[in-house]
Amino acid sequence: MSAVSRHYVLAAGGTGGHLLPAFALAAELHQRGHHVALITDERGAKIPGKPEYLPAHILPPGRIAGRNPLGWLKGARGVWQGRAMAKRLFDSFQPSAVVGFGGYPSLPTMLAATSAGIPSVIHEQNAVLGRVNRYFAGKVDAIATPSEVVDRLDDKYAGKVTLVGNPVRAEVLALRDAPFPEFSEDSLFRILVTGGSQGARILSQVVPEGLAMLPTALRSRLQVIQQCRPEDIEGVRERYATHGIPAELGTYFPDMAERLAGAHLFIGRSGASTIAELTAVGRPAILIPLPYAMDDHQSANAREMVAGGGARVLRQPPITTEDPDTYTGEKLNELLREQADIQQKMAKDLCLQIQAIAQRPETLANAAHAAWNCGYPKAAIDLADLVESFGAAPIMDVLRVVPEGGAPAHGTQGALAREGAR
């Protein structure tokens, strides 16, 4: 078939929250016959799930944070070096547009794009506009958002905004039309628990205790799958064994999409990718926003799903620290008492939340449908359409015959790879 093949650069921070939507967009653009390159940091280059056809180019660290002026100078130097490197990559790759997904590695890339006059788009994953995306909101051509309301997005940029949602992995999106697992008063009750990349310790302590408080009739039907930190896993295993609750534990599940497909209820953090996948598949959730998240964005992420009836929120009060190893004497005792009180209250609240949502099969099924209604299944398609609408000048387009498998081979990918290796 014939298609117009263009080049696009995606820039994303080194976390799954930034990179998973970038991977989904790359897959959609590749399927349309375009060439795509990724700019990220060292962490991002190691994130599982990067497509083989997506070359990754690592920029030097350029985070400007803290109170140390020497750190500022080092960070500013990294940003400047990254900007220069991105410009050299653009000279080789000649992108039709550059898409920023937030995070510090996107800062020098977007600086290079906007200064060079290359059409640019930012995509925000969270329901609060992040710092880097806030900086570029007035400089880019378009702003793609994950929900109808995004905090800290100035109204004066409303003309640039397009609601697309958060793109999710193809294997997750494929589950959207699958029925909700059968759930009756006699069936197993399968619960999936994950803590994300941060703060899983509190879940390892609270969830087993909360499940143990359930009425016997409900507790006897439990089947738990829980992701734990390596240092917590044996303690969690012991807690479940003490309460007689069957649980499969692991530090990482490569088949998470299948686990989600079989779950009746999700318990965990409310990161942007988590919300996107829960609503894509239609799984009810008890969400525990990370209280230390920047701008409390995880609470904002949960807002739409809760309002739609697909989720409930369990609050985790912030405490001085989750690491008692730095405390001694009476301060340590005070911290441990504070932690124990918080965990006990959260466990009781979790028990009540589960009872409210799962005691009657129709309540759980209705919550699942409500979660499904909050999804944006065309997010990757709509974002690709938006990106394709920029940089479409005839001089940038090359008409090629594209094979059925996707993008044709092209010399500039090799040039870009060589440039990134310098």
Side-chain angles (χ1 to χ4, degrees), residues 169-188:
R169 297 170 292 166
E171 59 266 33
V172 173
L173 192 59
L175 302 171
R176 183 164 176 81
D177 294 328
F180 184 65
E182 183 179 348
F183 183 72
S184 68
E185 295 180 355
D186 301 319
S187 65
L188 287 174

Side-chain angles (χ1 to χ4, degrees), residues 244-399:
I245 298 174
E248 180 184 354
L249 309 179
T251 57
Y252 173 72
F253 294 113
D255 56 344
M256 188 59 79
E258 294 180 21
R259 309 285 180 154
L260 184 59
H264 296 110
L265 177 67
F266 172 87
I267 301 173
R269 297 301 192 192
S270 49
S273 295
T274 297
I275 298 293
E277 294 192 352
L278 289 172
T279 55
V281 179
R283 290 299 179 270
I286 296 175
L287 300 171
I288 308 174
L290 180 68
Y292 315 103
M294 182 74 69
D295 299 318
D296 195 24
H297 67 258
Q298 288 207 359
S299 293
N301 290 346
R303 185 169 52 205
E304 188 171 305
M305 193 174 175
V306 171
R312 295 165 175 262
V313 167
L314 176 63
R315 295 292 176 186
Q316 175 190 349
I319 58 177
T320 307
T321 177
E322 286 200 347
D323 183 7
D325 294 337
T326 58
Y327 286 69
T328 59
E330 185 55 32
K331 284 190 175 182
L332 174 60
N333 292 332
E334 289 178 7
L335 174 64
L336 294 176
R337 285 194 295 269
E338 180 186 12
Q339 288 182 334
D341 290 345
I342 287 174
Q343 291 163 15
Q344 183 69 8
K345 184 180 184 304
M346 288 182 66
K348 289 180 179 179
D349 289 346
L350 177 63
C351 174
L352 294 174
Q353 295 273 29
I354 294 173
Q355 286 183 262
I357 200 172
Q359 276 196 328
R360 291 184 296 179
E362 61 270 22
T363 304
L364 194 64
N366 289 339
H369 186 66
W372 190 90
N373 281 336
C374 293
Y376 294 90
K378 292 180 60 184
I381 294 172
D382 291 343
L383 181 57
D385 288 345
L386 176 65
V387 170
E388 277 190 327
S389 70
F390 294 98
I395 195 171
M396 300 293 289
D397 295 338
V398 181
L399 191 64

Side-chain angles (χ1 to χ4, degrees), residues 27-374:
E28 178 64 26
L29 291 172
H30 178 78
Q31 180 64 30
R32 298 183 184 196
H34 302 307
H35 301 282
V36 191
L38 172 70
I39 293 179
T40 185
D41 58 15
E42 290 185 356
R43 291 183 306 160
K46 299 174 183 177
I47 292 287
K50 186 183 77 66
E52 292 183 2
Y53 52 78
L54 181 64
H57 307 279
I58 301 173
L59 293 188
R63 180 168 182 166
I64 303 174
R67 299 180 181 180
N68 186 344
L70 292 177
W72 300 343
L73 290 173
K74 184 178 180 181
R77 187 183 305 116
V79 170
W80 190 256
Q81 291 173 344
R83 178 178 178 270
M85 177 180 171
K87 279 193 168 185
R88 292 195 298 270
L89 295 179
F90 296 162
D91 288 342
S92 298
F93 200 56
Q94 293 292 305
S96 295
V98 177
V99 187
F101 287 84
Y104 286 99
S106 72
L107 174 59
T109 306
M110 299 309 291
L111 282 173
T114 53
S115 66
I118 300 172
S120 55
V121 178
I122 54 174
H123 177 270
E124 178 57 54
Q125 297 85 57
N126 294 301
V128 180
L129 199 65
R131 289 184 177 183
V132 172
N133 282 347
R134 283 202 297 271
Y135 177 79
F136 286 106
K139 300 175 173 59
V140 298
D141 297 285
I143 303 169
T145 61
S147 56
E148 292 184 4
V149 178
V150 176
D151 299 341
R152 307 199 71 169
L153 175 56
D154 199 304
D155 291 341
K156 65 184 178 183
Y157 302 130
K160 297 182 178 183
V161 173
T162 299
L163 171 61
V164 300
N166 263 323
V168 299
R169 297 170 292 166
E171 59 266 33
V172 173
L173 192 59
L175 302 171
R176 183 164 176 81
D177 294 328
F180 184 65
E182 183 179 348
F183 183 72
S184 68
E185 295 180 355
D186 301 319
S187 65
L188 287 174
F189 181 22
R190 293 188 292 272
I191 297 179
L192 176 63
V193 186
T194 72
S197 59
Q198 302 180 74
R201 171 180 288 179
I202 193 72
L203 300 183
S204 295
Q205 295 162 336
V206 166
V207 176
E209 301 305 320
L211 296 180
M213 296 177 186
L214 290 171
T216 303
L218 188 57
R219 188 177 70 245
S220 64
R221 297 159 48 202
L222 290 175
Q223 189 175 71
V224 179
I225 298 172
Q226 183 162 346
Q227 180 192 34
C228 309
R229 303 190 317 170
E231 59 267 39
D232 295 337
I233 195 165
E234 290 307 318
V236 177
R237 195 184 313 278
E238 184 177 339
R239 290 186 187 98
Y240 279 123
T242 298
H243 301 310
I245 298 174
E248 180 184 354
L249 309 179
T251 57
Y252 173 72
F253 294 113
D255 56 344
M256 188 59 79
E258 294 180 21
R259 309 285 180 154
L260 184 59
H264 296 110
L265 177 67
F266 172 87
I267 301 173
R269 297 301 192 192
S270 49
S273 295
T274 297
I275 298 293
E277 294 192 352
L278 289 172
T279 55
V281 179
R283 290 299 179 270
I286 296 175
L287 300 171
I288 308 174
L290 180 68
Y292 315 103
M294 182 74 69
D295 299 318
D296 195 24
H297 67 258
Q298 288 207 359
S299 293
N301 290 346
R303 185 169 52 205
E304 188 171 305
M305 193 174 175
V306 171
R312 295 165 175 262
V313 167
L314 176 63
R315 295 292 176 186
Q316 175 190 349
I319 58 177
T320 307
T321 177
E322 286 200 347
D323 183 7
D325 294 337
T326 58
Y327 286 69
T328 59
E330 185 55 32
K331 284 190 175 182
L332 174 60
N333 292 332
E334 289 178 7
L335 174 64
L336 294 176
R337 285 194 295 269
E338 180 186 12
Q339 288 182 334
D341 290 345
I342 287 174
Q343 291 163 15
Q344 183 69 8
K345 184 180 184 304
M346 288 182 66
K348 289 180 179 179
D349 289 346
L350 177 63
C351 174
L352 294 174
Q353 295 273 29
I354 294 173
Q355 286 183 262
I357 200 172
Q359 276 196 328
R360 291 184 296 179
E362 61 270 22
T363 304
L364 194 64
N366 289 339
H369 186 66
W372 190 90
N373 281 336
C374 293

